[in-house]
Amino acid sequence: MNTPPSPSGAEHTDGSSIRLGALVPLTRPGWVEAGRHLLAGLDLAVREVNDAGGIDGRPLELVVRDTAADPERAAAAVDELAHLGVAAVVGEYHSVVARAAAARADALGVPFLCSSAVLDTLTEAPTEWVARLAPAQSFGWRIYADFLLRAGRRRIAVATQASVYWASGTRVLRDHLAPRGGTVLELDATLTPGALCDALVDHGATALLLLVGHPDPAVPIVRAVRGDRRLAEILIGAPAGQPEFAEWAAALGEDGAGIPFLRYLPERLGPLGERVGKELRERLGEAASFVAFEGWDTVAVLAAVLRAHGTDRAAIAGSWPCVAVEGTRRPIQFSRTPGISVWQWAWTPIQVVDRDPAEPDRFRILHAG
């Protein structure tokens, strides 16, 4: 592996901390609640590693940078973190932002373990420097499409915004549904909610998928569709996971229930997942989302890598195929997956769930893949 010239992250030999750069959306327009959960998982795992003696006696230290869902800001943060001598970069929730961070990490020769972004093409060409815990979009969204078919929903409308992430998701859905008798109609999310409802009626849509940001325009769209008697039988879905977080329920109340989304958790957590989930709940003041578990698993993987291979960046990046770590949701190993340019955990558990209309704080598992 050819290592571009940059600090190795291996210069500390005096018991000083081993730094990990953490990219997290903590301010708008980033999804702040997702960032809070991701950071809680990262921070809890770091504290547990340090309470157990650190890495050969050296503590881990998170150096956190707020990406605010801005790709340029994320790329600049990777530059800064590389010069600060971090051993690796972790985190990020937004796929387009993670793609910018992955490209910069690849160019600089800095290992990047992406926690929570799903876009298939995190890097334009195959790289040894980047690995990912979240499932690729093409995998998870096909499972969501199978759920739609099983539910008898074949005339699918998507309210979508301009983004490579939403465009990629639409393509996955169309490619999977079309050979099975499904159709996908794209509706511009800049339509007024009333005009969007009219288009759904005209099309005879049986499902509307929200491929849009939260809270705007997702919340006004949901309210309009729920309030339109002509659309009483339509299924509203959100494959990107908007209803996972408490702020969704707070904004929409009963209207936010019964909207299926993708979640990356097993049907039942094992002892490790139960313990970590309890700790995360105490930190967050609410149930931990799958994003918080992704954060914890990220640090668990890197702690194992650092113990086995040290802090040299090339050694860390070269270790991805050797990883075998007990995660909160399932044992974690990385492999090369066709069509995916980074080292991929294949595969995390995937569920389609919704908030129970009778009890919106409770999640119902509707489909698993």
Side-chain angles (χ1 to χ4, degrees), residues 3-344:
T3 307
S6 62
S8 70
E11 61 272 28
H12 301 288
T13 59
D14 58 355
S16 59
S17 63
I18 299 172
R19 290 178 160 187
L20 298 179
L23 304 177
V24 188
L26 295 175
T27 55
R28 298 284 185 194
W31 199 335
V32 174
E33 193 169 10
R36 186 171 69 91
H37 278 238
L38 178 56
L39 184 57
L42 293 168
D43 187 62
L44 174 63
V46 165
R47 288 177 182 270
E48 291 184 354
V49 168
N50 290 340
D51 288 345
I55 308 297
D56 296 329
R58 296 172 60 188
L60 283 181
E61 177 188 354
L62 276 185
V63 183
V64 180
R65 293 295 180 267
D66 173 20
T67 64
D70 183 338
E72 292 184 5
R73 185 165 171 171
V78 174
D79 277 354
E80 179 196 1
L81 293 165
H83 288 294
L84 288 174
V86 299
V89 174
V90 300
E92 195 43 48
Y93 176 79
H94 299 283
S95 282
V96 175
V97 179
R99 186 174 67 159
R104 197 66 192 135
D106 180 48
L108 293 173
V110 178
F112 175 34
L113 180 51
C114 181
S115 303
S116 195
V118 300
L119 193 66
D120 282 35
T121 52
L122 277 184
T123 56
E124 293 300 324
T127 176
E128 300 295 318
W129 294 100
V130 183
R132 171 169 54 193
L133 287 175
Q137 187 179 30
S138 60
F139 185 74
W141 285 45
R142 283 199 299 267
I143 290 172
Y144 195 92
D146 285 335
F147 158 75
L148 293 172
L149 293 170
R150 287 185 56 184
R153 311 287 177 159
R154 283 177 165 76
R155 294 181 65 82
I156 312 301
V158 297
T160 186
Q161 294 174 297
S163 162
V164 65
Y165 173 63
W166 300 125
S168 173
T170 301
R171 185 167 57 251
V172 171
L173 293 168
R174 180 174 284 118
D175 289 349
H176 195 73
L177 291 169
R180 296 163 177 82
T183 61
V184 176
L185 171 72
E186 292 185 57
L187 298 174
D188 191 329
T190 61
L191 288 171
T192 67
L196 191 142
C197 288
D198 290 342
L200 293 173
V201 172
D202 292 343
H203 178 63
T206 57
L208 167 66
L209 305 187
L210 303 170
L211 308 192
V212 295
H214 172 77
D216 292 315
V219 168
I221 290 174
V222 171
R223 286 178 177 151
V225 173
R226 291 293 200 213
D228 193 320
R229 293 183 179 181
R230 300 173 299 170
L231 300 171
E233 300 301 319
I234 199 168
L235 171 77
I236 305 176
Q242 295 94 323
E244 168 77 9
F245 298 100
E247 65 179 356
W248 173 271
L252 282 163
E254 293 180 358
D255 284 346
I259 297 179
F261 63 94
L262 286 167
R263 183 171 70 164
Y264 309 131
L265 289 174
E267 185 174 354
R268 285 185 175 82
L269 292 167
L272 176 61
E274 288 283 358
R275 180 188 68 76
V276 171
K278 181 180 178 181
E279 295 281 347
L280 288 168
R281 177 185 280 274
E282 291 178 2
R283 280 175 169 255
L284 291 163
E286 61 189 13
S289 70
F290 68 84
V291 179
F293 287 100
E294 287 173 329
W296 195 96
D297 287 342
T298 300
V299 172
V301 167
L302 270 175
V305 167
L306 290 165
R307 290 188 184 105
H309 301 280
T311 58
D312 178 76
R313 289 174 178 169
I316 292 170
S319 73
W320 302 133
C322 307
V323 166
V325 172
E326 186 65 29
T328 56
R329 297 162 293 159
R330 190 175 286 176
I332 297 170
Q333 294 181 295
F334 297 111
S335 60
R336 284 298 193 188
T337 302
I340 308 299
S341 60
V342 303
W343 286 97
Q344 177 70 55

Side-chain angles (χ1 to χ4, degrees), residues 139 143 146 262 265 330 347-352 365 367-369:
F139 185 74
I143 290 172
D146 285 335
L262 286 167
L265 289 174
R330 190 175 286 176
W347 295 98
T348 176
I350 298 178
Q351 304 169 347
V352 179
I365 300 174
H367 183 67

